[in-house]
């Protein structure tokens, strides 16, 4: 009974520190996401504005929009989420092996052998994921571009009664997006 009150105070203090740490971590990560997004988007927008017309004609509006928004958000997430997770996981992975090798090298080699297989599989599937991500990003940009252009010409579509034709074009674009995105999801899963 004597220890109950100090234990409750200690647990409350730990919970408070954990919550404060989580809040500060999310705040810093969120601000970094926004700063990275702002800087990279500005650079891309400026580059597009300064590009020649002949260079710009090879891209659809949706492609440029996707590269300015969606791709930059992905890059920011990699920098603020994926890289820190890799560093933390690596430290949590390497440190125990250093300790094991210093205590019992033969046993450490036996334990590390599955890690070699994991690295080989990670490299193999990492390349597959990278190769399947490009078509998924391209089809997403194509769909966004199609939607932007389709919505901007609605009056013309109505005047010439081309609704069914536009619906078929949309379905083709959506099918490309669906197939490439689902392929990416299958491989990354």
């Amino acid at each position: 009974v004597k220890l109950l009150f100090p234990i409750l105070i200690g647990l409350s203090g730990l919970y408070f520190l954990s919550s404060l740490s989580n809040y500060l971590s999310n705040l810093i990560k969120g601000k970094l996401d926004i700063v990275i997004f702002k800087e990279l988007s500005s650079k891309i927008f400026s580059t597009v504005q300064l590009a020649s017309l002949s260079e710009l004609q090879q891209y659809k509006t949706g492609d440029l929009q996707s590269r300015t928004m969606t791709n930059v958000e992905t890059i920011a997430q990699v920098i603020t989420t994926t890289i820190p997770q890799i560093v933390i996981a690596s430290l949590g992975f390497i440190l125990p092996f250093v300790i094991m090798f210093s205590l019992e090298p033969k046993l450490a080699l036996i334990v590390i052998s599955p890690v070699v297989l994991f690295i080989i599989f990670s490299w193999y599937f990492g390349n597959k994921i990278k190769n399947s991500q490009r078509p998924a990003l391209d089809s997403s940009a194509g769909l966004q571009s199609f939607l932007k252009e389709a919505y901007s010409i609605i009056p013309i579509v109505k005047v010439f009664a081309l609704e069914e034709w536009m619906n078929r074009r949309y379905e083709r674009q959506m099918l490309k997006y669906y197939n490439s995105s689902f392929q990416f999801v299958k491989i990354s899963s």
Side-chain angles (χ1 to χ4, degrees):
V1 176
K2 280 184 180 180
L3 293 176
L4 182 61
F5 188 69
I7 289 173
L8 287 176
I9 296 289
L11 287 175
S12 298
L14 284 174
Y15 178 76
F16 174 76
L17 287 175
S18 174
S19 297
L20 181 63
S21 172
N22 193 30
Y23 168 75
L24 291 174
S25 174
N26 287 338
L27 182 69
I28 291 168
K29 181 201 170 300
K31 183 173 183 178
L32 190 55
D33 278 342
I34 294 166
V35 168
I36 291 169
F37 178 80
K38 177 183 170 288
E39 293 299 318
L40 289 177
S41 294
S42 296
K43 284 189 184 286
I44 291 171
F45 186 79
S46 177
T47 301
V48 169
Q49 295 301 310
L50 297 174
S52 70
L53 190 56
S54 63
E55 289 176 311
L56 293 175
Q57 287 177 331
Q58 63 184 329
Y59 298 104
K60 294 179 182 175
T61 304
D63 293 340
L64 296 173
Q65 183 177 342
S66 176
R67 290 167 198 248
T68 306
M69 299 292 292
T70 309
N71 293 2
V72 171
E73 286 172 347
T74 302
I75 291 168
Q77 286 294 316
V78 166
I79 292 170
T80 62
T81 303
T82 307
I83 292 175
Q85 286 175 348
I86 289 171
V87 169
I88 290 169
S90 297
L91 289 175
F93 194 70
I94 293 170
L95 191 59
F97 283 114
V98 169
I99 293 169
M100 281 193 291
F101 273 110
S102 66
L103 295 175
E104 187 62 49
K106 289 179 184 175
L107 183 59
L109 286 174
I110 293 170
V111 170
I112 202 170
S113 60
V115 173
V116 173
L117 290 174
F118 175 76
I119 290 170
I120 291 169
F121 282 123
S122 295
W123 175 79
Y124 175 76
F125 284 108
N127 284 334
K128 281 193 157 298
I129 288 170
K130 185 175 75 175
N131 292 338
S132 69
Q133 188 176 29
R134 170 57 48 204
L137 291 173
D138 289 345
S139 66
S140 174
L143 182 60
Q144 287 183 31
S145 180
F146 173 82
L147 287 172
K148 182 168 180 24
E149 292 167 12
Y151 288 152
S152 68
I153 62 167
I154 285 177
I156 295 169
V157 170
K158 295 284 185 195
V159 166
F160 292 104
L162 297 172
E163 292 90 350
E164 286 303 315
W165 178 74
M166 286 300 284
N167 282 337
R168 286 192 301 276
R169 287 189 59 212
Y170 173 77
E171 288 301 322
R172 282 195 302 271
Q173 284 289 336
M174 182 52 78
L175 186 61
K176 281 184 199 174
Y177 171 77
Y178 173 85
N179 289 335
S180 61
S181 296
F182 188 64
Q183 185 66 24
F184 174 69
V185 167
K186 281 191 325 190
I187 291 171
S188 62
S189 294

